[in-house]
Amino acid sequence: DDRVDELAALLRRSGFDVAEHGDGVSVVWAEGVHDAVRDAVADLGVGLRRLGPERQTLEDVYMEASA
């Protein structure tokens, strides 16, 4: 969605650590993050495709171990 920057800005103003990734955002978990994301998405009228913890791939684990 072309409103990723607006979503990220709303969440940052709420005090969350946010990274933009093309068509989405990652938010560092903190108390109240789920409510903040829900409210920001609703305020902007945008869709939410996925809400969950970010996971490392097996490749990421091996690349970190070999570094």
Side-chain angles (χ1 to χ4, degrees), residues 56-67:
Q56 282 189 308
T57 66
L58 189 55
E59 179 183 10
D60 293 336
V61 172
Y62 281 108
M63 294 300 288
E64 287 176 10
S66 67

Side-chain angles (χ1 to χ4, degrees), residues 11-34:
L11 293 169
R12 285 187 187 108
R13 281 195 299 269
S14 295
F16 295 98
D17 184 9
V18 180
E20 297 177 44
H21 303 284
D23 64 347
V25 298
S26 294
V27 185
V28 175
W29 188 91
E31 190 67 37
V33 71
H34 293 108

